[in-house]
């Protein structure tokens, strides 16, 4: 939680210190040893700009209003991490962060009490150190005192209560006898019963007890109250004030016995953003409602589906179909990690909320301790339109934009997506639900839901854009052996074996002429022979077997078949045809992979008459004949076709960023390497899952994206997986043949390489070499200064998705292995040696182990 966008004083002091430190240090260059960036002339500019930034940052900090977090200077900043030096975590926190095993949960046979009018469930945490124990007991005593004080204000026949509690942490310091003493001293009508002890656990164990309790049919009309010892874990003034306000509210008579029985959940303040929830997670709820929820135990179905709903949204947002403009990207806003439990009680659309605080009582009032009984004004919710942390300018923009309201995650789309993912058809709000009237664009969404049910959000996304799709025609690919004709088998046995080319032909209706010209250009290269650097000409030394697929109108390739029929060194075999020119660009790779499974001793070449574009860039050279000719010539040149132990994939130009790829996505590869790759369709599916995990990691700020933004193409999502496939394996050893041209003006060009110009000649100065050897990314995609700045900060190097953090995550996710010790990756990427040692020590846990010291979820409370 946060108040608007103000931060704690400790965080601001840390920010200023970090800026100052960054300006005073000189660090090493970018990821490649051969980066030669001229610094002498520009260093004074950097210092001058840096000083200006420092002054601006200082003025911003001094002008901001501070929130007091704690009077204890040793504790209030303990969760802030320096960008370069990880903060030491207190021992008690490390112990608490031990992984909870759901198998440790013990179910209890609790049933409604006939003797008690009020039933409470209490989640207690007792830390390990003596000072923490003392404070925790003070919290418990005070909180139970609030409960008893509220009971005494009820009618006499309603003043008895039973409190079930789970103890987490230090059992020895707080035995059951101690709890009974506190309870009996406060009131003889308060019965406190321990239901479980856990060395380490989250609130989920007590919430699961509530869920189990409410499954009892006899408990349907029973209202139960949930409280927890907020502040015994993080001792701050904010948590103390917040806990007091929440506890007073949920044990108030209007929450225990609401004036309107429609209310099935009551708390201090009910929010509809970030989610339908009660911030702070204390409430009183009717069991008939709780029974509808998913079981909240950690690692269970609620966790799985909650994350799934967020992943689904993040992918829709990546494709530009849904937005989240009102609030920042924070895990508490999306209900991930420990914050998922705060979203649990409001996760079903049948919630009929009520709240105790007046509408104009803010979250700031709670955490600053400004709540008084005069601020109580019970009412049915929702009745709050704005919440803490919302961007005012975004709110103003969206008020008059109906389409933006329709696509805003923090309005109906996000809630519907959560409800449908969590509960399926049972997550559809009733026709009379408050949600349709309260949220903007409610009528529009109500009609969609009436038509498409729980598929309404997905249907809206699919109708809005055809930009994303699978690259494959089928969802069910079996390992079918590639069918090779007897004629082709005989050719493979010849003394001069043929070149095997898999060719994807795309002919869109709106670019038919350009596509056919590109096709003709590539056929010219194949019929002329293999390019030789010595003579700088083509020589027909080896025949070509061309396996091809056609996407688009197949009648447009008559010229192609004529050339195939008339050429003596070209044998053409059609593998399939597809009506859509842009949606089946992975089919040829599927056949290529199957061929390599059948012929692992051979090599294969992949070509396409359509060049990949850059996502989000309107400029396109999809059918640039000059470039297509150059890339085709490179992939089929003698240098690429020659077998080498140091290279298993060859193309024109190789770049490691933003992902391992050859420009134009044309290459020649050894089948020995290709057969180790995932089948292309399975690779697409695996990447789809990996992208989901990656987007969540970005949301949790456990990874950075300093070098490039996340786009479907950069991540290899859906149809873009075909560009990632060939370089996806940790055993990948690239080489390329295009020449390298250095800038004559390193000061102004940043020491970068100039792009190769393929437009003026058909004579190529190819030169084979192991790769990578040129710029990190294609020209224009990445600033050298940006990359230099990134490599100077460990907090980026050890979290940057486009460096080894992202690559190792994918390698282990896809192939369950890291590159061998002699791989180029350890020498090329920043901190490669540290990553290599870490991979050998931690295996698939290496990314978490090395990046965790720099994690910061960005949640101030």
């Amino acid at each position: 939680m946060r108040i608007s966008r103000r931060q704690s004083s400790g965080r601001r002091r840390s920010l200023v210190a970090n800026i100052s430190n960054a300006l005073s240090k000189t660090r090493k260059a970018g990821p490649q040893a051969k980066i030669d960036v001229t610094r002498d002339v520009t260093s004074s500019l950097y210092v001058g700009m840096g000083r200006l930034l420092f002054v601006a940052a200082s003025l911003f900090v001094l002008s901001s209003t501070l929130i007091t977090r704690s009077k204890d200077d040793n504790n209030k900043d303990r969760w802030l991490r320096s960008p370069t030096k990880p903060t030491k975590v207190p021992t008690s926190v490390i112990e608490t962060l031990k992984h909870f095993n759901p198998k440790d949960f013990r179910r209890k046979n609790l049933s409604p009490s006939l003797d008690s009018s009020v039933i409470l469930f209490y989640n207690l945490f007792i830390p390990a150190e003596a000072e923490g124990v003392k404070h925790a007991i003070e919290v418990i005593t005070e909180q139970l005192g609030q409960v008893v004080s509220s009971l005494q204000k009820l009618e006499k026949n309603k003043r008895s209560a039973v409190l079930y509690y789970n103890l987490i942490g230090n059992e020895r310091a707080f035995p059951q006898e101690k709890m009974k003493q506190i309870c009996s001293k406060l009131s003889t009508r308060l019965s406190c019963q321990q239901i479980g002890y856990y060395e380490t656990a989250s609130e989920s164990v007590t919430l699961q007890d509530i869920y189990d309790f409410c499954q009892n049919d006899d408990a349907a009309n029973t209202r139960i109250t949930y409280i927890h010892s907020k502040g015994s874990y993080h001792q701050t003034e904010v948590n103390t004030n917040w806990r007091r306000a929440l506890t007073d509210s949920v044990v108030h008579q209007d929450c225990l016995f609401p004036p309107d029985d429609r209310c099935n959940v009551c708390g201090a303040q009910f929010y509809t953003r970030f989610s339908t929830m009660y911030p702070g997670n204390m409430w009183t709820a009717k069991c008939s409602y709780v029974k509808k929820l998913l079981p909240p135990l950690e690692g269970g179905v609620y966790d799985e589906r909650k994350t799934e709903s967020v992943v689904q949204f993040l992918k829709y947002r990546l494709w530009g179909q849904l937005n989240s403009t009102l609030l920042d990207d924070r895990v508490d806003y999306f209900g991930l990690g420990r914050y998922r439990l705060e979203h649990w009680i409001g996760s079903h659309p049948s919630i009929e909320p009520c709240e105790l605080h007046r509408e104009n009582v803010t979250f700031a009032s709670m955490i600053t301790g400004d709540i008084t009984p005069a601020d109580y004004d019970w009412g049915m919710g929702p009745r709050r339109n704005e919440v803490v942390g919302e961007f005012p300018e975004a709110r103003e923009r969206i008020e008059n934009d109906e389409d933006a309201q329709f696509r805003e995650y923090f309005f109906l789309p996000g809630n519907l997506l959560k409800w449908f993912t969590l509960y399926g058809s049972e997550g559809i709000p009733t026709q009379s639900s408050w949600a349709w009237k309260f949220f903007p664009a409610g009528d529009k969404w109500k009609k969609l839901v009436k038509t498409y049910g729980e598929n309404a959000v997905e249907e809206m996304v699919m109708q809005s854009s055809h930009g994303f799709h699978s690259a494959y025609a089928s969802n069910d690919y079996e390992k079918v052996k590639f069918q090779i004709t007897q004629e082709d088998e005989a050719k493979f046995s010849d003394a001069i074996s043929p070149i095997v080319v898999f060719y994807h032909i795309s002919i869109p209706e709106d670019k038919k002429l350009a596509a056919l010209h590109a096709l003709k250009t590539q056929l010219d290269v194949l019929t002329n022979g293999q390019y030789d650097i010595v003579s700088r000409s083509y020589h027909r030394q080896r025949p070509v077997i061309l396996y091809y697929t056609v996407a688009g109108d197949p009648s447009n390739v008559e010229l192609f078949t004529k050339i195939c029929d008339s050429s003596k060194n070209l044998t053409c075999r059609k593998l399939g045809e597809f009506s859509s020119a842009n949606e089946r660009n992975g089919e040829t790779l599927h056949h290529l992979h199957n061929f390599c499974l059948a012929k692992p001793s051979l090599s294969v070449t992949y070509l396409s008459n359509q060049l990949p574009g850059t996502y989000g860039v309107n400029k396109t050279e999809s059918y640039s004949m000059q470039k297509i000719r150059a890339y085709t010539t490179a992939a089929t040149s003698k240098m690429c076709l020659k077998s080498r132990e140091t290279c298993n994939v060859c193309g024109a130009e190789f770049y490691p960023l933003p992902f391992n790829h050859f420009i134009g996505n044309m290459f020649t590869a050894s089948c020995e390497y290709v057969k180790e790759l995932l089948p292309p369709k399975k690779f697409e599916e695996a990447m789809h899952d990996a992208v989901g995990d990656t987007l969540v990691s970005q949301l949790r700020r456990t990874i950075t994206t300093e070098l490039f933004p996340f786009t479907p193409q950069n991540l290899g999502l859906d149809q873009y997986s075909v560009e990632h496939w060939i370089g996806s394996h940790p055993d990948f050893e690239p080489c390329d043949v295009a020449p390298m041209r250095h800038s004559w003006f390193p000061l102004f060009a940043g020491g970068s390489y100039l792009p190769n110009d393929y437009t003026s000649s058909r004579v190529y100065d190819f030169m084979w070499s192991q790769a990578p050897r040129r710029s990190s990314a294609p020209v224009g995609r990445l600033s050298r200064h940006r990359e230099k700045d990134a490599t100077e900060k460990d907090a980026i190097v050890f979290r940057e998705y486009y460096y080894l953090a992202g690559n190792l995550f994918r390698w282990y996710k896809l192939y369950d292995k890291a590159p061998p010790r002699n791989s180029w990756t350890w020498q090329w990427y920043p901190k490669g040696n540290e990553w290599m040692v870490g991979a050998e020590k931690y295996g698939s846990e290496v990314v978490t182990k090395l990046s965790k010291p720099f994690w910061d979820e960005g949640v101030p409370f």
Side-chain angles (χ1 to χ4, degrees), residues 3 53 55 89 110 156 167 184 199 210 289 315 358 452 465 489 501 551 563 568 675 713 812 814 833 845 850:
I3 301 178
L53 287 171
V55 171
V89 182
L110 303 176
K156 288 186 177 181
L167 176 63
S184 60
E199 180 183 359
I210 292 174
Y289 170 76
K315 289 178 180 177
R358 286 186 289 107
Y452 299 107
S465 172
E489 278 286 9
V501 177
I563 294 176
K568 293 181 179 180
K675 71 182 182 65
Q713 185 178 35
Y812 278 110
L814 300 174
N833 187 64
E845 296 296 315
L850 269 61

Side-chain angles (χ1 to χ4, degrees), residues 743-755:
S743 168
W744 285 100
F745 305 98
L747 173 62
F748 301 106
S752 64
Y753 299 98
L754 295 178

Side-chain angles (χ1 to χ4, degrees), residues 288-444:
S288 57
Y289 170 76
V290 174
K291 189 175 182 178
K292 298 177 182 179
L293 305 180
L294 289 174
L297 189 63
E298 187 171 334
V301 64
Y302 172 71
D303 283 8
E304 178 184 338
R305 294 184 186 177
K306 186 73 170 71
T307 302
E308 182 185 340
S309 72
V310 175
V311 167
Q312 195 71 1
F313 161 70
L314 293 175
K315 289 178 180 177
Y316 289 157
R317 184 175 69 174
L318 195 67
W319 284 110
Q321 301 311 306
L322 292 180
N323 305 310
S324 55
T325 61
L326 293 178
L327 292 162
D328 201 359
D329 275 4
R330 277 185 13 192
V331 287
D332 53 337
Y333 295 164
F334 284 88
L336 293 177
R338 63 190 176 98
Y339 304 100
R340 71 196 184 283
L341 300 174
E342 195 171 14
H343 290 224
W344 177 69
I345 193 61
S347 66
H348 199 282
S350 65
I351 186 172
E352 292 289 350
C354 60
E355 58 181 12
L356 192 64
H357 291 173
R358 286 186 289 107
E359 184 178 349
N360 61 350
V361 176
T362 64
F363 177 73
S365 302
M366 282 200 292
I367 65 174
T368 53
D370 292 338
I371 302 294
T372 68
D375 294 313
Y376 294 165
D377 180 22
W378 183 94
M380 293 293 293
R383 54 183 182 178
R384 298 172 189 274
N385 285 312
E386 296 184 12
V387 297
V388 68
E390 200 169 78
F391 297 142
E393 62 275 14
R395 178 79 185 192
E396 291 175 6
R397 284 197 304 268
I398 206 171
E399 279 182 352
N400 298 316
D401 190 334
E402 292 184 3
D403 187 67
Q405 294 172 2
F406 180 65
R407 298 176 187 276
E408 176 61 39
Y409 175 82
F410 292 109
F411 287 161
L412 258 179
N415 284 292
L416 291 172
L417 196 58
K418 284 178 279 190
W419 292 334
F420 298 160
T421 307
L422 290 172
Y423 301 105
S425 60
E426 294 182 4
I428 299 175
T430 63
Q431 289 293 300
S432 59
S433 171
W434 55 267
W436 306 123
K437 294 181 180 179
F438 182 82
F439 289 109
D443 289 340
K444 192 172 181 180

Side-chain angles (χ1 to χ4, degrees), residues 702-735:
T702 60
I703 61 171
T704 62
T705 53
E706 294 292 325
L707 302 181
F708 304 92
F710 274 170
T711 68
Q713 185 178 35
N714 287 346
L715 289 170
L717 183 61
D718 297 329
Q719 72 266 28
Y720 290 108
S721 66
V722 300
E723 297 175 42
H724 290 241
W725 180 70
I726 195 62
S728 66
H729 199 281
D731 292 338
F732 177 56
E733 291 290 343
C735 57

Side-chain angles (χ1 to χ4, degrees), residues 427-543:
I428 299 175
T430 63
Q431 289 293 300
S432 59
S433 171
W434 55 267
W436 306 123
K437 294 181 180 179
F438 182 82
F439 289 109
D443 289 340
K444 192 172 181 180
W445 275 111
K446 187 176 183 180
K447 292 176 182 177
L448 273 173
V449 171
K450 187 175 182 180
T451 303
Y452 299 107
E454 68 269 29
N455 299 314
V457 179
E458 181 182 4
E459 189 65 30
M460 181 279 284
V461 170
M462 298 303 293
Q463 289 180 9
S464 298
S465 172
H466 300 287
F468 56 98
H469 52 80
S470 172
Y472 304 91
S474 173
N475 291 321
D476 184 25
Y477 282 101
E478 298 292 336
K479 272 191 176 181
V480 179
K481 188 175 180 180
F482 190 86
Q483 299 298 313
I484 301 174
T485 66
Q486 290 183 349
E487 180 184 352
D488 291 349
E489 278 286 9
K491 291 180 180 180
F492 294 139
S493 302
D494 288 346
I496 301 178
S497 62
I499 299 170
V500 180
V501 177
F502 283 80
Y503 188 25
H504 178 76
I505 302 171
S506 171
I507 307 181
E509 194 62 34
D510 59 336
K511 295 181 180 178
K512 183 189 302 184
L513 187 59
L516 291 174
H517 279 306
L519 185 152
K520 174 65 166 58
T521 298
Q522 287 177 296
L523 287 180
D524 285 345
V525 173
L526 294 175
T527 54
N528 287 338
Q530 297 77 59
Y531 191 79
D532 177 65
I533 185 60
V534 177
S535 62
R536 295 191 179 183
S537 61
Y538 298 90
H539 294 271
R540 295 182 183 177
Q541 293 184 334
R542 297 170 60 184

Side-chain angles (χ1 to χ4, degrees), residues 69-203:
R69 294 179 62 190
S70 172
K71 295 180 181 179
D72 184 354
D73 289 336
N74 293 324
N75 289 331
K76 67 179 173 182
D77 295 326
R78 65 178 180 172
W79 291 109
L80 301 181
R81 300 189 186 277
S82 164
T84 56
K85 294 181 180 179
T87 304
K88 184 178 180 181
V89 182
T91 303
S92 61
V93 175
I94 293 174
E95 292 173 353
T96 310
L97 292 178
K98 291 178 181 176
H99 183 66
F100 167 72
N101 188 343
K103 293 181 180 178
D104 294 336
F105 179 76
R106 295 172 290 279
R107 297 190 181 277
K108 300 88 186 174
N109 186 21
L110 303 176
S111 57
S113 173
L114 299 177
D115 301 328
S116 302
S117 299
V118 177
I119 300 174
L120 304 100
F121 283 79
Y122 194 16
N123 195 79
L124 301 181
F125 170 73
I126 306 294
E129 64 271 14
E131 183 180 349
V133 171
K134 180 182 177 182
H135 173 69
I137 294 175
E138 290 173 352
V139 168
I140 293 167
T141 304
E142 178 187 271
Q143 206 166 10
L144 294 182
Q146 290 177 271
V147 172
V148 170
S149 176
S150 178
L151 291 174
Q152 291 172 348
K153 296 175 184 177
L154 300 176
E155 298 175 14
K156 288 186 177 181
N157 62 338
K158 296 180 179 179
R159 292 179 183 176
S160 60
V162 58
L163 182 143
Y164 299 111
Y165 71 95
N166 279 312
L167 176 63
I168 301 167
N170 190 350
E171 184 182 31
R172 182 177 298 179
F174 196 70
Q176 294 188 46
E177 292 74 16
K178 181 69 175 177
M179 184 67 165
K180 288 181 179 179
Q181 289 176 6
I182 294 174
C183 292
S184 60
K185 186 175 181 180
L186 288 169
S187 173
T188 57
R189 302 190 67 179
L190 176 63
S191 172
C192 297
Q193 302 176 25
Q194 182 172 334
I195 50 178
Y197 163 73
Y198 302 91
E199 180 183 359
T200 177
S202 65
E203 292 179 68

